[in-house]
Amino acid sequence: MFVFVVAVGGLLQGAWIGSLALLAHAVLVWPEVGDFAARLGVAWVRLVCAGVTLVVFIVLVSLGAGDDEIAVEPEMSRSDVMSKLSPPPSTLGAYRSKIPGHAFSRIDRSDYYISVHRRLGPTRVRDANTLAPWVALRVSFASSCDRVDMVEISQDASQAELRWFVDCLNRQRFYVNEADAKATRVKFADVPDTAVIDLLPEDLPRAENAKVIGFDELAGLRICEASLRSRLQQPDAYRPVGAARTQRHPQRGRVTITRSFITSNGLGQSIHSQWECLLDAGDTRVIEIKWLDAGQWRVAAKGSLHHGGAWN
């Protein structure tokens, strides 16, 4: 009776093969079946029924074992991994369709661009206008950019190195330097829009907020402190005070770290001060560092050192 009840419960749970095996066992070993065989004078029928039941049970359970197996996902090949790291192949025209005509405007001689002309000069302005479409194309390769919205020359651009920032409609921002813009032009200048292209990792720009997400705060703190100590009169007297404070700037891909410290002047007197360090979150490069010296900010940026100055 117990085996029969268990079999019925298995049927209700959907375990069909195991339940049928239990039902067969329950029927064959039911007392009335054995008694009927004994009355017929065939006493060995009970033993045969038990043996057949055992064999049927083992066979059916072994066949049903496969029903409960957990499917194991096959190991991904290198090509599968690469396909997850980069966008699937598409035509060059499909990427260009992410760039509307208003995305970039030529740098002209209007008042809006007067400072750009002064900083870059006419030759480099022409270069910037020529490369702007390739800057937009490079950013269109990024799957995190739904559609290019605006391409503008960056304030960091100079005659030595052009640099642009690109904003997408989904509020993702990218920075593209001159070398990457030229590389994109060389690689895709003669490629027709109908051609299917398979992008390589070096073709894919990285959004600024992605740099901030993976930023190593401890490494950034060490780099900032090393940069500051190299500029102090008494670098060995540097002593940090309290915990450092970190502020992230996702749209710019930058991080500001601030910390108080104690140092000594030329007379050996202790001085309480503070420093602020602006880092590129992508390569943990110090963009600008400033510290209080006799009540005035001293600023070091890109190898230059001056008093006062703007802190952006």
Side-chain angles (χ1 to χ4, degrees):
M1 180 63 70
F2 173 75
V3 174
F4 181 79
V5 172
V6 172
V8 172
L11 286 175
L12 296 177
Q13 294 296 323
W16 298 98
I17 296 179
S19 298
L20 290 176
L22 289 174
L23 285 174
H25 174 74
V27 171
L28 290 175
V29 299
W30 198 266
E32 283 74 7
V33 175
D35 293 342
F36 176 74
R39 285 195 298 271
L40 292 177
V42 190
W44 51 267
V45 170
R46 180 171 296 183
L47 295 176
V48 172
C49 290
V52 171
T53 300
L54 180 63
V55 172
V56 171
F57 181 77
I58 294 174
V59 172
L60 291 179
V61 169
S62 64
L63 291 175
D67 296 340
D68 298 328
E69 290 182 353
I70 299 176
V72 178
E73 187 172 335
E75 184 179 354
M76 290 192 301
S77 64
R78 183 178 182 276
S79 60
D80 294 331
V81 174
M82 291 302 295
S83 67
K84 293 182 179 297
L85 295 178
S86 59
S90 183
T91 63
L92 189 62
Y95 289 115
R96 283 194 167 130
S97 66
K98 295 170 62 175
I99 308 171
H102 67 267
F104 46 85
S105 55
R106 293 183 61 82
I107 302 174
D108 53 28
R109 293 189 174 276
S110 63
D111 293 340
Y112 183 79
Y113 288 112
I114 188 170
S115 62
V116 176
H117 274 275
R118 290 174 179 172
R119 186 170 77 251
L120 301 182
T123 301
R124 298 299 277 159
V125 165
R126 285 195 298 270
D127 293 339
N129 287 329
T130 301
L131 290 172
W134 301 104
V135 171
L137 180 63
R138 181 177 182 83
V139 173
S140 73
F141 294 154
S143 57
S144 57
C145 177
D146 59 348
R147 185 174 175 84
V148 176
D149 184 43
M150 179 177 64
V151 180
E152 280 289 349
I153 196 74
S154 171
Q155 292 182 351
D156 298 333
S158 64
Q159 290 187 355
E161 175 71 18
L162 296 177
R163 184 176 168 85
W164 297 259
F165 69 87
V166 182
D167 287 338
C168 300
L169 284 179
N170 58 341
R171 302 182 66 83
Q172 295 288 326
R173 171 166 287 192
F174 297 80
Y175 280 88
V176 179
N177 58 35
E178 185 175 2
D180 289 337
K182 288 182 176 179
T184 302
R185 179 179 61 179
V186 170
K187 186 171 183 178
F188 299 103
D190 298 326
V191 177
D193 284 352
T194 56
V196 176
I197 59 175
D198 194 359
L199 299 172
L200 300 176
E202 58 266 24
D203 299 321
L204 303 174
R206 189 181 179 191
E208 295 304 299
N209 64 347
K211 298 179 183 178
V212 173
I213 293 172
F215 178 71
D216 187 339
E217 292 189 15
L218 182 58
L221 176 61
R222 291 173 177 172
I223 290 173
C224 287
E225 289 189 326
S227 178
L228 174 69
R229 288 166 64 105
S230 66
R231 292 174 168 85
L232 295 176
Q233 293 181 355
Q234 303 290 335
D236 294 336
Y238 172 83
R239 296 291 184 273
V241 177
R245 297 176 297 279
T246 302
Q247 181 182 3
R248 299 168 185 262
H249 315 286
Q251 196 174 30
R252 294 279 290 169
R254 295 178 176 181
V255 174
T256 299
I257 301 179
T258 307
R259 195 171 201 179
S260 299
F261 69 98
I262 298 175
T263 187
S264 299
N265 58 16
L267 302 177
Q269 298 173 325
S270 295
I271 301 174
H272 291 262
S273 186
Q274 180 182 350
W275 57 260
E276 292 185 18
C277 181
L278 183 65
L279 292 162
D280 185 299
D283 55 13
T284 324
R285 171 178 51 89
V286 175
I287 299 173
E288 199 168 58
I289 186 167
K290 72 172 184 176
W291 66 100
L292 281 172
D293 183 12
Q296 187 176 14
W297 285 108
R298 290 168 62 86
V299 183
K302 298 181 179 179
S304 63
L305 178 63
H306 59 276
H307 292 272
W311 178 245
N312 298 320

